[in-house]
Structure formats: C-alpha cells, structure tokens
Amino acid sequence: MGGVLGIAGATHLAATAHAPTVTGDRAASAAAPAAPAATAAGTFTIGGDLVVNRMGFGAMRVTGPGIWGEPKDPTEARRVLQRAVELGVNFIDTADAYGPEVSERLIAESLAPYPRGVVIATKGGLLRPSAPQWVSDGRPEHLREACEGSLRRLKLARIDLYQFHAIDPKVPLEDSLGELARLRKEGKIRHVGVSNFRVDELARARRVVPVVSVQNRYNLADRGSEDVLGVCTREGLAFIPWAPLASGSTTRLEGGADRDNERGAALEKVAAAHGASVMQVAIAWLLARSPAMLPIPGTGSVGHLEENTAAARLQLSPAELAALG
C-alpha cells in the first residue's frame, strides 16, 4: 500500500555518481546498466523454493477509489504493473476482493504470460457486497470457488502463494484451512499463507497445513504484530507487512500518542538527511527490521512506484535505526 508522494526522494536515491572517463573494455563495463532497484534489498526464499526480491508490490491500489471497480486510468494501472517488473519486482500481491476481481484481471492483462521467476500471490476469504463492506467468508466451498476463480482470472495453472485473507468467526479455522490443504494437494496451490493472524492462530494453522507466510498490518507506529514477526524471523516464514506508513500524510507520520509523535519527528529527520521521502524511510526501516520482511508498498502511479522501489537502495545507519526505535 503506497502513499501519494513526490518524486524528489526517488530522484535522489536513483542518481548515480559520475564515473571517471575510461576507455576500451573498462568503458564498456562502466556503461553497463545498474541492477534494477528492487534487487538492492536482497532476496527471500518463500516455502523453500520461491526466491523473490524482498521489495515486492501490492496491487490493491490499481483498482478504483475505495478499492472498488475499475481504475480511473486503466492504461496507467497496467503500466504500473509492467514497470514494477522492469524495476526488478518479482513478487506481486493481490486478492480477489480487490475491485472485487479487478486487480487480478489487470495483473493477467498486463503481465501474462508471466516473465520467468515472477510470483503472483493472491488471497481469498473476504467478500465485497458493496464498496465499504469487507465480509469474512471462510466456508470451504467458498474458498474453493474463490481459488478457482483466481486461477482463471490470473491465467495460472497453479497459484504460487494463496493466502487466507481473514478468519471467519462463523467457520472453524481448521475447516477453512483444511480446504486450502486439499487444494494444495490437488496442485491448484503451491504454498499457503495466512493474513491478519495472531501467534496462537498461526500455531493452529500450521497444524492443519504448512504455512509459509503471514501478512499482517505492521509499520513504524503500529507494531502489534511484533510477536508474529518474531516467529516468522526465527522459523523462516515470510512476513508481509501492509500499511507501511500507518496513518499520516504524504510528508509526515501523524500519531496521537507522544511516542508516535516522537517517531514521526525522527522519521522526518532521517528522511531530510537522506534527501528521501518519509515513505522511503518507512520502507527502508521495514527492510532493516528483519530478513524475513517482504514489504509490498502499492500505488496506482508509475512515479510513486519508482519512488517506493528506490527505497530498496536506502541504507539506514545504526544510529538512525535506533532513533526510529
């Protein structure tokens, strides 16, 4: 999930130093293009076999306002997805509820047949009766129907990472995940992930099916999933944070508590020191927080995408990380 940001920070981070004048083979070497921005943060291996760059992309915002309907500019939305791959992003996260169904369809229209190594992760388990409504549905029959619908829209024979979007209080967790285990056995899902899970719920889930990732809200101001992150870090599960900037404007973090205000001030100070945006620093902080962290900042703008992805090159010092807490 991305913010509406300017491009000055991205320009600063993407700039390269002037190289000395060289000739011959050295000149050819010096002229070689820089590695794509998303590769700068290194890789993470999901489930033991899916190697992805740690700077991912969340495709929620390529839909219409309120994550509902078609995007205002479909051409720009498709270009965002294509540009993400050009920048080295090879992990794209979506869900059937985004649109609903719009995000998945746009991904396939923009990228299929998918470049080698690109991992498309999607989610099921939420319904959208109307724009403001997000209703849990963890019934096994619904999850099967949702998974098969995602396969069709994404033009995939198998979904590399299928995530249970949210627990349905009306359906036993074991029933919901048991159906995902069956879909995995049938070859329609390669790996299973969960979203919005507590530590105890994660432990229950892992007794039903191998879980390779957790997608929870986590950011500089909201660290309520710190214990879940700890489990993921220790046990090699991907931790996919959403809402990377929490609440706040495009230029500063706004918090009600004194501690949030302190962190917001520190965030702005670090951003100013690097000539970067607060969003870039927030993403860089996430990447530094744990080797299991796989951020997926999203946007519907190519300019914002380039800025967010450039954050993979931003290195925060130990002192800066300590100031951010």
Side-chain angles (χ1 to χ4, degrees), residues 170-208:
K170 303 181 298 298
V171 179
L173 176 61
E174 289 74 12
D175 289 357
S176 300
L177 290 175
E179 188 64 21
L180 298 189
R182 284 185 284 275
L183 288 162
R184 178 174 175 267
K185 186 175 181 180
E186 292 168 16
K188 295 179 180 180
I189 295 171
R190 176 176 294 193
H191 294 299
V192 173
V194 296
S195 181
N196 304 300
F197 267 50
R198 302 189 310 260
V199 166
D200 61 316
E201 294 164 342
L202 175 59
R204 285 176 59 194
R206 297 177 76 187
R207 289 194 286 269
V208 179

Side-chain angles (χ1 to χ4, degrees), residues 4-5 9 220 244-245 248-253 263-272 275-285 307-308 311 314 324:
V4 182
L5 303 165
L220 192 67
L245 195 56
S249 69
T250 60
T251 58
R252 61 178 295 140
L253 180 72
R263 285 174 174 157
L267 184 65
E268 293 159 25
K269 183 176 180 180
V270 173
S277 70
V278 293
M279 183 65 173
Q280 288 174 319
V281 175
I283 294 169
W285 177 84
E307 180 173 356
N308 291 345
L314 179 56
L324 294 171

Side-chain angles (χ1 to χ4, degrees), residues 62-153:
V62 298
T63 62
I67 326 303
W68 185 261
E70 300 293 330
K72 290 183 177 180
D73 187 343
T75 300
E76 177 78 353
R78 292 185 181 91
R79 181 60 184 145
V80 165
L81 291 161
Q82 294 161 353
R83 182 64 177 144
V85 174
E86 292 170 0
L87 292 169
V89 171
N90 60 2
F91 179 80
I92 297 176
D93 176 84
T94 185
D96 65 350
Y98 299 162
E101 303 181 0
V102 174
S103 176
E104 290 182 329
R105 176 175 51 76
L106 285 172
I107 288 170
E109 291 175 356
S110 305
L111 299 176
Y114 299 101
R116 183 177 178 85
V118 169
V119 172
I120 308 296
T122 192
K123 297 181 285 294
L126 286 181
L127 298 176
R128 300 290 304 282
S130 65
Q133 292 181 289
W134 299 77
V135 180
S136 296
D137 189 343
R139 293 173 300 131
E141 57 269 31
H142 169 71
L143 290 171
R144 176 169 291 272
E145 180 182 3
C147 177
E148 292 175 346
S150 292
L151 283 165
R152 290 191 299 272
R153 283 185 295 276

Side-chain angles (χ1 to χ4, degrees), residues 202-264:
L202 175 59
R204 285 176 59 194
R206 297 177 76 187
R207 289 194 286 269
V208 179
V209 64
V211 173
V212 302
S213 67
V214 182
Q215 185 170 158
N216 280 9
R217 178 183 173 95
Y218 185 85
N219 51 61
L220 192 67
D222 183 351
R223 307 185 193 185
S225 288
E226 192 78 56
D227 54 350
V228 179
L229 173 60
V231 172
C232 290
T233 302
R234 289 193 303 272
E235 303 196 18
L237 311 181
F239 185 88
I240 308 169
W242 58 271
L245 195 56
S247 61
S249 69
T250 60
T251 58
R252 61 178 295 140
L253 180 72
E254 296 173 353
D258 290 342
R259 184 58 179 141
D260 288 344
N261 290 328
E262 290 174 12
R263 285 174 174 157

